[in-house]
Amino acid sequence: ILVNQAMIATAFGNDQSSVIVSWLPFFHDMGLIGNILQPLYLGACSYFFSPEIFMKRPWRWLEAISQYKGTVSGAPNFAYQMVVDRTPEDKLKTLDLSRWQLAYCGSEPIQASTLINFVERLATTGFKEQAMYPCYGLSEATLLVTGPQAGTLTKNDFDHYPVSCGQPKHGGEIKIDQNEILIRGGHVAKGYWQRPILSREKFHHYLRSGDYGYIDNHCLYVTGRQDDQISIRGINYFCHEIETSIKLNHKQLTSLPTMVFANEQNFSLIVLQELNQRTRDKINLAELEDTFRQCIIEAHGLSVESIHFLPPKSISKTTSGKIQRQRSKQAFLKALSHE
């Protein structure tokens, strides 16, 4: 933990004068390690408010940074997109985000379009594009693994997929083995609690991250997770890329879970989409289903077997908000067999 705290401080340029603002839940490693332990490690100041407040009114995140003169604050990709989609113009006029020096983005696949849209949306607030900080990490490595040099990126650096997540910091190491990202350093855990067999498999010499990626010009590019990959007619696809295509074409679904999985027997996709009552009341489900199919075939060349609109909390997630694909798939298929 102490090694990773030093890594974060070095990568972010944090010190005792840093002001951290966060709404991230404390059971999420980004919230716990990055926003509670980091200010304690530095002797810096931190302001917190609840995730519920952010989810209801995403612009409150910006208002808190403006009010408390925050210098460091961040979240997963979906949060930046929510700010872009749901912040009223009149709210932006009241903000001063000129002191926000580092806006880190990690924990889930980073979309270049989200970072660019965020920078452009906040153009009148004093927010600087150089503050954007895409990074990579995971719980098994305590938190941070790689990040760019703070304050050096511009919108041009985000204008491609995947987005660069920078280099290892403070003595950390990474390498690629059969497309999988391997990690070594003093920040890596010794293993999983009371799971010795899995620990030997995952933590032997290098931590096997379960993430795919590549290194170019010393920078890490993350392409997806092993568990997130499906194969149709011998071609591999990452589920999150298909799900992102859906959300980019349907802004009203930004904060609602979407999940796809393959029917290997007929080489097609099954789509699960959570909808709350407010969204159901505003959209035509038949039209939405048609646009889903069109979006997926145009972006990925895949046919869709069926689309299912589900109530909230139908798709299982980890405590850090990642979709539990196998668990959700099995629960859905079991429920379908009982209908």
Side-chain angles (χ1 to χ4, degrees):
I1 290 173
L2 289 173
V3 169
N4 204 236
Q5 289 300 315
M7 284 183 172
I8 295 169
T10 300
F12 289 10
N14 288 344
D15 58 28
Q16 194 172 8
S17 66
S18 298
V19 179
I20 297 171
V21 178
S22 177
W23 53 267
L24 297 174
F26 298 159
F27 55 76
H28 185 192
D29 56 348
M30 188 184 281
L32 174 63
I33 306 296
N35 292 315
I36 293 182
L37 296 189
Q38 179 71 177
L40 289 173
Y41 174 81
L42 296 168
C45 184
S46 192
Y47 295 90
F48 301 103
F49 63 102
S50 76
E52 290 78 13
I53 291 176
F54 168 78
M55 295 301 290
K56 290 178 180 178
R57 298 178 180 85
W59 60 86
R60 294 294 298 273
W61 181 23
L62 307 182
E63 289 178 340
I65 295 170
S66 179
Q67 177 180 349
Y68 297 111
K69 299 178 175 57
T71 62
V72 181
S73 190
N77 188 92
F78 82 88
Y80 289 94
Q81 191 61 51
M82 284 182 67
V83 168
V84 170
D85 294 338
R86 294 175 52 188
T87 301
E89 195 64 37
D90 63 324
K91 298 293 183 183
L92 294 174
K93 296 177 181 178
T94 66
L95 301 174
D96 177 6
L97 301 178
S98 59
R99 294 179 178 83
W100 194 358
Q101 299 171 5
L102 192 131
Y104 58 85
C105 182
S107 181
E108 64 181 22
I110 300 170
Q111 302 301 321
S113 59
T114 296
L115 304 187
I116 293 171
N117 291 340
F118 186 82
V119 169
E120 292 177 348
R121 189 81 170 90
L122 271 59
T124 61
T125 67
F127 180 78
K128 305 174 185 65
E129 60 186 276
Q130 292 83 3
M132 291 303 316
Y133 193 89
C135 52
Y136 169 71
L138 66 166
S139 300
E140 290 88 341
T142 308
L143 183 58
L144 182 72
V145 174
T146 65
Q149 183 177 347
T152 62
L153 301 184
T154 67
K155 285 192 295 184
N156 293 334
D157 295 301
F158 310 140
D159 196 18
H160 54 80
Y161 177 84
V163 174
S164 169
C165 289
Q167 310 85 23
K169 303 297 180 184
H170 205 72
E173 299 177 50
I174 58 170
K175 71 175 184 177
I176 306 297
D177 179 38
Q178 297 181 338
N179 296 325
E180 185 179 8
I181 301 167
L182 306 188
I183 305 161
R184 184 163 68 180
H187 59 312
V188 176
K190 302 300 182 185
Y192 294 115
W193 177 250
Q194 296 184 344
R195 302 181 72 181
I197 296 176
L198 184 60
S199 295
R200 284 195 295 271
E201 293 174 356
K202 297 281 284 186
F203 291 85
H204 185 62
H205 295 307
Y206 280 85
L207 164 65
R208 305 197 71 91
S209 69
D211 292 318
Y212 283 146
Y214 62 90
I215 297 172
D216 182 33
N217 195 26
H218 307 293
C219 291
L220 176 66
Y221 294 80
V222 182
T223 56
R225 286 194 60 77
Q226 289 176 328
D227 296 341
D228 196 28
Q229 195 173 58
I230 57 177
S231 181
I232 297 178
R233 291 192 172 93
I235 301 175
N236 293 329
Y237 301 87
F238 285 113
C239 294
H240 76 264
E241 292 182 355
I242 302 171
E243 293 156 1
T244 296
S245 296
I246 293 172
K247 290 187 179 298
L248 288 176
N249 283 275
H250 302 86
K251 300 295 186 182
Q252 70 272 37
L253 304 178
T254 300
S255 60
L256 298 171
T258 306
M259 179 182 137
V260 302
F261 63 91
N263 184 334
E264 293 85 358
Q265 296 179 340
N266 62 7
F267 310 110
S268 63
L269 287 177
I270 295 173
V271 181
L272 308 182
Q273 176 63 59
E274 286 190 13
L275 291 179
N276 55 35
Q277 193 59 51
R278 184 176 65 177
T279 306
R280 280 181 179 271
D281 293 340
K282 290 181 177 180
I283 60 177
N284 183 303
L285 293 185
E287 291 180 0
L288 184 61
E289 185 171 335
D290 288 342
T291 60
F292 271 29
R293 293 180 186 276
Q294 182 178 353
C295 164
I296 292 171
I297 197 166
E298 288 181 356
H300 305 282
L302 295 172
S303 61
V304 177
E305 175 188 320
S306 59
I307 298 170
H308 303 266
F309 298 111
L310 307 175
K313 300 184 179 179
S314 298
I315 297 174
S316 299
K317 290 186 173 184
T318 66
T319 54
S320 61
K322 296 182 178 69
I323 292 176
Q324 295 178 310
R325 296 189 179 278
Q326 289 304 314
R327 182 176 178 179
S328 297
K329 176 181 175 180
Q330 295 307 317
F332 169 76
L333 294 175
K334 183 178 179 181
L336 197 64
S337 67
H338 290 149
E339 289 184 355

